[in-house]
Amino acid sequence: MLTIITILALSAALVIGLAANRRRHARGRVGEASVSDLISPLQTLAVLLVAFVIVVAAESYGTAGKAAWAEAHRVDQLYEVADYSPEPQRERLQAAAVCYARAILAYEWPEMEESRRMAPEASVWSSDFRRHFKELARKDASTFQLLVEADDQRSAARQTRLSQASPAIPTVVYWFMVIALVATVGAFAFGLPYKRGPAHIVLLGTLAALFTGSLLLIEDIDQPYSGYIRITSKAMADTVDDIGEDFVTDHPGRPLPCDARGTSTRT
């Protein structure tokens, strides 16, 4: 209903304006609007639209980066807090943390942009966390609470990371912006004086290049994990190396229940 009212209101404004313009000309009031007067509102619309979309895309990019870092940090924290747990939960939780980080890095991260779903190879270990938490709840309530909080934050960061893989700018908004910028550049080109100098062409080319660059930048940062300015998996890779080395030191000679890619080796 709101869409219909909007279309009807703008259409009525256009018809009434043209009718008033014709009547004004019939009475001899022929003050003409220059081309620049007509281009100015279009320019303002295009600039405001680009600014708005860049802000939205940048916020989404920033949220994606924070989520990737937060997840890696919480996995590392979970490993460290598990150090205060009694055996055998201590070793099992720390092993699950190492395997979870490996699986995220090997399976979920590469496919995130396409599938935007949780990799089952990593979810096996997050389920393992909860199973060990239940065992630990009967032995050490204080450590249990700290581990549950760290795991909740890890899970929330993982969900945010996956959700931010989807474009924040709706397709219809992006193409509306493209049309507005194309119309603006075309209007400026149409409004160039007949006797134009090289400066006019240079400035018009600069304007077109800036608008094109803005569109490419928006498209790139709206794909935070796959664009040229993408967020890498470095934070999780650092965590894998860090807690992997810690596990070897803390549990010498003890094997992990997964391979180098985090795939479970348990039968």
Side-chain angles (χ1 to χ4, degrees):
M1 186 63 181
L2 185 60
T3 303
I4 296 174
I5 293 174
T6 301
I7 294 173
L8 289 176
L10 289 175
S11 300
L14 178 61
V15 171
I16 293 171
L18 289 173
N21 176 269
R22 186 169 184 175
R23 185 173 181 182
R24 182 168 63 91
H25 278 263
R27 292 183 176 182
R29 300 174 184 175
V30 290
E32 300 290 341
S34 65
V35 173
S36 61
D37 291 334
L38 299 175
I39 294 175
S40 182
L42 181 61
Q43 176 189 6
T44 303
L45 171 65
V47 171
L48 290 177
L49 191 58
V50 169
F52 169 75
V53 172
I54 285 179
V55 168
V56 172
E59 286 181 353
S60 176
Y61 183 90
T63 301
K66 290 178 182 177
W69 177 87
E71 183 185 20
H73 176 69
R74 295 310 175 192
V75 173
D76 185 75
Q77 183 185 31
L78 195 150
Y79 183 96
E80 293 176 356
V81 175
D83 207 33
Y84 298 99
S85 305
E87 294 290 5
Q89 283 74 33
R90 174 172 175 260
E91 179 185 342
R92 292 172 180 172
L93 280 169
Q94 291 180 330
V98 175
C99 292
Y100 171 85
R102 286 181 176 181
I104 289 291
L105 198 62
Y107 292 101
E108 193 165 285
W109 198 279
E111 299 179 4
M112 182 167 46
E113 183 63 23
E114 295 181 4
S115 63
R116 303 183 185 99
R117 63 176 181 85
M118 293 185 175
E121 294 84 356
S123 297
V124 165
W125 304 111
S126 58
S127 299
D128 235 29
F129 293 153
R130 291 186 287 274
R131 182 165 60 85
H132 298 317
F133 291 163
K134 291 178 182 178
E135 298 171 358
L136 184 62
R138 297 188 292 268
K139 297 182 179 180
D140 190 340
S142 58
T143 304
F144 164 77
Q145 186 62 37
L146 292 173
L147 286 168
V148 168
E149 290 177 0
D151 187 57
D152 283 345
Q153 293 168 351
R154 173 206 59 79
S155 180
R158 184 186 185 189
Q159 291 279 6
T160 302
R161 170 175 57 77
L162 287 169
S163 66
Q164 292 302 319
S166 301
I169 308 301
T171 303
V172 65
V173 173
Y174 178 81
W175 285 110
F176 179 75
M177 178 181 58
V178 171
I179 292 171
L181 294 182
V182 168
T184 301
V185 172
F188 272 114
F190 176 78
L192 288 178
Y194 178 74
K195 294 182 179 180
R196 52 183 175 268
H200 291 92
I201 303 300
V202 170
L203 290 174
L204 181 62
T206 302
L207 178 67
L210 289 174
F211 279 167
T212 302
S214 298
L215 290 172
L216 295 177
L217 177 63
I218 290 169
E219 183 184 17
D220 192 74
I221 63 177
D222 202 31
Q223 304 173 65
Y225 303 112
S226 62
Y228 288 103
I229 318 173
R230 63 181 175 272
I231 298 165
T232 67
S233 57
K234 184 178 184 303
M236 187 60 77
D238 290 343
T239 295
V240 168
D241 294 339
D242 185 28
I243 63 178
E245 292 174 1
D246 288 346
F247 187 86
V248 172
T249 302
D250 296 337
H251 310 282
R254 298 292 295 173
L256 285 166
C258 64
D259 59 20
R261 292 172 57 82
T263 304
S264 177
T265 55
R266 295 180 301 201
T267 56

